[in-house]
Amino acid sequence: MIFKRFYLDCLAHASYLIGDEQTRTAAVVDPRRDVDAYLEEAERDRLLIRHVFLTHFHADFIAGHLELRDRTGARIYLGTSARAEYTYTAMKEGDALEFGQVRMHVLETPGHTAESISILVFDLERDATRPYAVLTGDTLFIDEVGRPDLRASLGWSATDLGRLLYESLHAKLLPLPDETLVYPAHGAGSLCGRSISQEATATIADQRRSNYALQPMSREQFVTLVTADQPDAPPYFTYDAILNAKERPTLDAILQRVLTPLSLAQVVKMSSESDAQLLDVREPADFAQGHLAGSINVALSGQYATWAGTVLAYDRPIIIIGDPGREEEAATRLGRIGFDAVAGYLDGGMQALEARPDLIVRTQRATAAVIAEDLDSLTPPLVLDVRTALEWQKQHIRGSLNVPLSQLQARMDTLPRNRRLVIHCASGYRSSIAVSSLERHGFEHLVELAGGMAAWEAAQLPVEKTGTAPVLRKT
């Protein structure tokens, strides 16, 4: 048996290729939308991808099941509770797919979603009775479990799914042999779980010992535990979950359409007449030095797709502004979350504005020492901390207002427009997104704390360690 894990850092997403050397057949589980990595790996191992499984309709990315189907002829497999527009094979509890020395045995494990399945992987040459691994999708993570609250907008309550999750874990996964390896669909940083471990895998025995959610407790205690304090889910999650059940254009078809060079005049016209979203994908420092007025900065170097999906609308045109040669990467990574409405990119990047300095805006930045001095003045600015509430509670600048970046657009009308705002995050990635968003919505007098909280600490300036984040209400 050939077993290979693929990991996509920016989405904290894991997928798997399972192959059989005897029949040269392979299956892919929970593929990402850009599927070249699987095809190249299969070619290296002289395998043909004939099967593709989705453990559930993922909310945080668009899966590559249709891409693999169209490029290899692979059959798609879903849990029996799933409903999709495309042709698929429904797999119920106990159903299995065998090819050569590989058996893939399905467990129905609802909880994260109603249609969730887990897949027992048997290496028949090694042991036909005890599974080598279990692919748990988003049901069980390493040291965490899947959150049950992401289907609320589709009619499922977090409580009902939480109860199903408890039963799936205790009746289906925890009884597996101690040595069974757990391979989930996500790692640390994913918003599909609260505090997922950095580890790629662990045994079932390890998880019984170390996973807080698997310790002895009642079903109701479990539900209370796993529904509390979940991070904000980006608004595109419901859109992606629905799109994963639909027949849709493949990524290759989308990229052929969207990689269109646009002149500066076209970009300006589309921005004003069709409300196109200008997405600047350069580094925050480069963006601060000069950018096209009205553009939003989400740099390719960070969790680009997640934050682009948080601050942009999926159903409005997007125009990419970046360093020449990075346009396809930017569009591909948007495509991973189904943001296919890219109208093109600014031809030549920021060089196209050399003759139009009137369209260039610069972000005012200041060092921690300068900000600290300003805060002691007679007219101090308001410090806007766009980190999460948990980060704020651990330590923050005294008197700062915490508005997590994921909530910023919804809470903009609570922010004062007649007062200077100093915006910061941990290091500068999120604050650049925040400043550009505020600027686009007409805020003036904005200053970004260069280097964020890390720079403030490095300057040994005072912080408060605990507390409850203040809330500014509109009056």
Side-chain angles (χ1 to χ4, degrees):
M1 184 178 74
I2 297 167
F3 186 97
K4 297 194 174 176
R5 176 180 182 263
F6 299 77
Y7 196 72
L8 192 60
D9 284 306
C10 65
L11 289 173
H13 164 231
S15 52
Y16 303 89
L17 182 147
I18 298 101
D20 172 60
E21 290 182 336
Q22 185 181 78
T23 62
R24 316 315 305 181
T25 298
V28 179
V29 179
D30 291 331
R32 69 197 200 204
R33 195 178 182 190
D34 47 321
V35 297
D36 284 347
Y38 313 111
L39 298 173
E40 291 166 3
E41 189 67 39
E43 184 176 5
R44 276 192 291 271
D45 289 332
R46 296 185 294 114
L47 298 170
L48 295 175
I49 297 172
R50 296 302 192 199
H51 313 285
V52 55
F53 284 80
L54 294 190
T55 56
H56 62 290
F57 295 133
H58 295 272
D60 59 316
F61 70 96
I62 300 302
H65 50 300
L66 301 187
E67 282 75 9
L68 285 174
R69 177 200 66 184
D70 288 0
R71 293 180 67 173
T72 70
R75 176 176 291 183
I76 299 170
Y77 300 82
L78 304 173
T80 192
S81 297
R83 298 292 181 270
E85 292 181 353
Y86 42 83
T87 300
Y88 65 93
T89 297
M91 302 290 279
K92 66 180 182 300
E93 178 80 20
D95 283 350
L97 172 70
E98 282 195 23
F99 45 96
Q101 297 299 312
V102 174
R103 180 191 301 140
M104 302 178 71
H105 178 108
V106 168
L107 303 175
E108 292 184 53
T109 52
H112 175 67
T113 72
E115 76 283 352
S116 290
I117 60 172
S118 297
I119 303 168
L120 298 177
V121 180
F122 290 83
D123 182 347
L124 300 179
E125 188 173 45
R126 177 186 299 180
D127 192 331
T129 62
R130 298 172 77 84
Y132 164 75
V134 57
L135 307 182
T136 54
D138 289 12
T139 299
L140 173 62
F141 298 121
I142 307 304
D143 293 342
E144 183 57 277
V145 295
R147 55 191 294 184
D149 62 318
L150 295 181
R151 290 294 187 272
S153 60
L154 299 178
W156 285 90
S157 76
T159 298
D160 288 342
L161 285 175
R163 290 169 177 161
L164 290 174
L165 182 62
Y166 180 86
E167 297 301 329
S168 293
L169 293 166
H170 287 267
K172 304 290 180 67
L173 297 180
L174 285 179
L176 292 173
D178 286 355
E179 70 276 11
T180 306
L181 292 170
V182 176
Y183 282 100
H186 288 294
S190 169
L191 293 175
C192 292
R194 192 166 39 197
S195 54
I196 306 172
S197 169
Q198 300 272 1
E199 299 300 318
T201 187
T203 66
I204 284 289
D206 292 334
Q207 287 306 286
R208 289 198 200 100
R209 288 191 298 268
S210 67
N211 193 319
Y212 76 96
L214 303 183
Q215 302 313 301
M217 68 185 80
S218 70
R219 185 175 64 175
E220 296 312 312
Q221 288 173 321
F222 172 86
V223 171
T224 299
L225 183 65
V226 300
T227 55
D229 301 321
Q230 291 288 0
D232 294 330
Y236 74 87
F237 269 30
T238 297
Y239 166 70
D240 277 17
I242 294 172
L243 194 57
N244 273 319
K246 292 183 175 294
E247 185 70 45
R248 51 156 179 80
T250 62
L251 183 60
D252 287 341
I254 292 297
L255 292 178
Q256 288 179 5
R257 175 177 60 80
V258 305
L259 292 175
T260 303
L262 302 170
S263 68
L264 178 60
Q266 288 175 302
V267 170
V268 172
K269 182 178 180 180
M270 292 174 70
S271 177
S272 61
E273 294 184 2
S274 62
D275 203 22
Q277 303 166 102
L278 307 179
L279 175 62
D280 192 317
V281 301
R282 296 174 301 143
E283 289 301 297
D286 296 329
F287 180 84
Q289 290 176 9
H291 53 270
L292 179 59
S295 56
I296 303 293
N297 178 227
V298 186
L300 288 169
S301 59
Q303 288 186 302
Y304 165 76
T306 298
W307 285 117
T310 299
V311 300
L312 301 178
Y314 63 81
D315 55 355
R316 284 171 46 206
I318 298 169
I319 297 172
I320 294 167
I321 302 171
D323 295 326
R326 305 292 303 273
E327 301 90 2
E328 183 171 356
E329 177 190 355
T332 297
R333 291 171 65 181
L334 287 175
R336 287 173 179 164
I337 61 167
F339 277 51
D340 294 343
V342 176
Y345 62 90
L346 177 59
D347 195 15
M350 286 299 294
Q351 291 180 358
L353 279 82
E354 287 181 352
R356 292 295 308 272
D358 56 304
L359 297 177
I360 297 176
V361 176
R362 292 173 176 81
T363 300
Q364 184 180 351
R365 296 177 120 197
T367 66
V370 169
I371 295 297
E373 185 176 346
D374 202 12
L375 288 174
D376 286 335
S377 69
L378 293 176
T379 55
L382 173 65
V383 177
L384 179 63
D385 185 334
V386 297
R387 298 175 302 156
T388 65
L390 182 60
E391 289 175 287
W392 188 94
Q393 289 164 9
K394 286 181 178 178
Q395 61 176 11
H396 55 269
I397 298 172
R398 186 176 50 135
S400 61
L401 174 69
N402 179 224
V403 179
L405 179 56
S406 58
Q407 301 174 17
L408 181 61
Q409 295 199 54
R411 294 174 58 182
M412 276 189 185
D413 63 351
T414 69
L415 300 176
R417 290 179 177 266
N418 58 353
R419 185 177 176 185
R420 286 178 299 140
L421 296 178
V422 171
I423 298 94
H424 82 88
C425 62
S427 62
Y429 186 88
R430 286 173 287 177
S431 60
S432 187
I433 301 172
V435 168
S436 61
S437 298
L438 290 164
E439 180 186 284
R440 178 171 171 78
H441 284 82
F443 281 80
E444 300 177 348
H445 318 300
L446 304 175
V447 180
E448 185 179 3
L449 170 55
M453 199 67 185
W456 187 271
E457 288 182 271
Q460 298 184 326
L461 292 165
V463 296
E464 293 186 349
K465 298 285 187 181
T466 57
T468 302
V471 176
L472 189 63
R473 293 185 171 84
K474 191 175 182 181
T475 58

